[in-house]
Amino acid sequence: MPTYIALLRFAQNGVESIKDGPRRLDAARDRFRKPGAELKAFYLVTGQYDAIAISEAPDDATVAKLALGNASMGFIRTETLRAFTEDEYRKIVGGLS
């Protein structure tokens, strides 16, 4: 299954209710399972972003729907990246002329 890295920033509403964040994270894990995706890891980080989430989903459309659904609640803003494994990287680079 493809891997995705989501760079998250807390919206003002998310910061104001940060104590509810763990509950929202648990609910997000449940939302990911329904379409066959999985939230593999979550990290609170310092710097430009507030958190990073690593997930797997069947396809880009599924992860886009999940990202939009999560962001539409108003607690976070996301930037989602498709991540390629080392094996996928080697195959991609190996196919260069």
Side-chain angles (χ1 to χ4, degrees):
M1 234 184 330
T3 300
Y4 300 88
I5 298 171
L7 308 173
L8 300 107
R9 289 192 175 119
F10 298 135
Q12 185 63 36
N13 193 20
V15 173
E16 289 171 357
S17 62
I18 197 65
K19 288 186 177 187
D20 292 331
R23 181 186 52 76
R24 288 193 296 266
L25 180 57
D26 292 339
R29 282 188 192 283
D30 291 340
R31 282 191 301 278
F32 270 70
R33 285 186 195 107
K34 288 180 183 175
E38 182 181 359
L39 182 56
K40 303 288 278 184
F42 175 87
Y43 299 93
L44 185 68
V45 298
T46 59
Q48 181 177 354
Y49 297 94
D50 298 312
I52 295 172
I54 300 170
S55 62
E56 291 181 348
D59 52 49
D60 293 346
T62 299
V63 82
K65 184 176 178 179
L66 288 164
L68 289 169
N70 287 330
S72 73
M73 294 177 196
F75 299 109
I76 58 169
R77 303 261 185 273
T78 65
E79 181 178 343
T80 304
L81 311 167
R82 168 66 164 90
F84 296 90
T85 65
E86 181 179 344
D87 287 343
E88 290 169 321
Y89 159 73
R90 289 179 184 278
K91 185 182 248 184
I92 290 166
V93 172
L96 295 174
S97 54

